[in-house]
Amino acid sequence: METRRITVLSAGLGVPSSSRLLADQLAAAAAQQLAAAGYEATVDVVELRDLAVDIANNFVTGYAAPRLAEVIAAVEASDGIIAVTPVFSASFSGLFKSFIDVLDPKSLDGKAVLLGATGGTDRHQMVLDYAMRPLFSYLRTRITATAVFAGPQDWGNTDDGGTPLSGRVERAATEFARLLEDAQPGRKAGPLVTQSFEELLAGISAGR
């Protein structure tokens, strides 16, 4: 079974945060869609608030601390990214943008991306189209047609036991899974394995 690696970026500041809640729903729905299509999904959730100091230090020193370097490597090695941010001052959060800025711009080229945002009013939902989508288009990613915004009214249950978000989450996750089913141009190649001359000869003798 083929594996698709997904990195989830949550820029929420609270514990718990609505951004993390939305990110978890999107990740679970995407994994379910991939499983139905015959793929195994590995999901790594990153809380950017835990990296805030390392991100700031990276700007000053140009050096990524071990945990930040590990997350950057995971993003580069992933097939797809689910990116969710709260809305501040009618745009993505400074923490979210700062993390994107420490990445090599070329590292996201071709990756599948599902966008999400949370805010205190539906008036903020356009941030997905006038801030986040242009950012990830500039980075040459493949973005789902559907992005998901969640406001306060979206967290209550409906009469059928679901949530107002359910339909949008499922539609976005389906589009994301379809992008991940294609060949993955954004996957970074793994490290080369060096073999000795004796090991190469042994492999030839064994018919490998």
Side-chain angles (χ1 to χ4, degrees):
M1 180 181 290
E2 288 190 52
T3 300
R4 291 294 183 259
R5 294 172 287 186
I6 301 171
T7 299
V8 181
L9 303 176
S10 172
L13 300 180
V15 181
S17 72
S18 58
S19 293
R20 175 59 188 271
L21 293 173
L22 177 57
D24 285 346
Q25 288 193 26
L26 292 170
Q32 185 177 21
Q33 291 291 335
L34 284 169
Y39 294 86
E40 180 181 357
T42 61
V43 180
D44 181 24
V45 181
V46 178
E47 291 275 14
L48 294 183
R49 67 168 179 271
D50 297 334
L51 299 169
V53 174
D54 289 342
I55 292 170
N57 286 337
N58 187 88
F59 279 108
V60 176
T61 66
Y63 169 76
R67 172 56 181 156
L68 178 58
E70 180 183 335
V71 171
I72 291 172
V75 170
E76 292 178 346
S78 65
D79 298 304
I81 297 169
I82 296 174
V84 183
T85 178
V87 178
F88 292 122
S89 300
S91 189
F92 36 63
S93 73
L95 175 61
F96 179 83
K97 182 58 164 59
S98 294
F99 175 75
I100 298 299
D101 285 343
V102 303
L103 299 174
D104 178 350
K106 296 180 181 178
S107 68
L108 299 186
D109 194 344
K111 292 192 186 298
V113 174
L114 196 169
L115 301 176
T118 60
T121 170
D122 281 347
R123 289 179 295 174
H124 291 312
Q125 62 184 298
M126 289 302 294
V127 70
L128 291 164
D129 291 319
Y130 67 68
M132 294 188 72
R133 197 175 292 276
L135 172 63
F136 283 91
S137 293
Y138 170 77
L139 295 170
R140 299 177 61 84
T141 63
R142 297 176 298 139
I143 310 168
T144 60
T146 300
V148 181
F149 178 87
Q153 74 284 351
D154 289 311
W155 301 111
N157 290 331
T158 58
D159 293 338
D160 59 4
T163 69
L165 275 177
S166 300
R168 283 173 282 159
V169 166
E170 287 299 321
R171 183 171 60 187
T174 299
E175 294 172 6
F176 186 56
R178 286 173 181 164
L179 289 178
L180 289 171
E181 289 174 28
D182 298 333
Q184 299 305 301
R187 175 181 286 189
K188 185 177 181 180
L192 295 176
V193 177
T194 302
Q195 292 182 303
S196 68
F197 182 69
E198 291 78 10
E199 289 172 325
L200 290 172
L201 285 178
I204 294 173
S205 299
R208 296 200 297 270

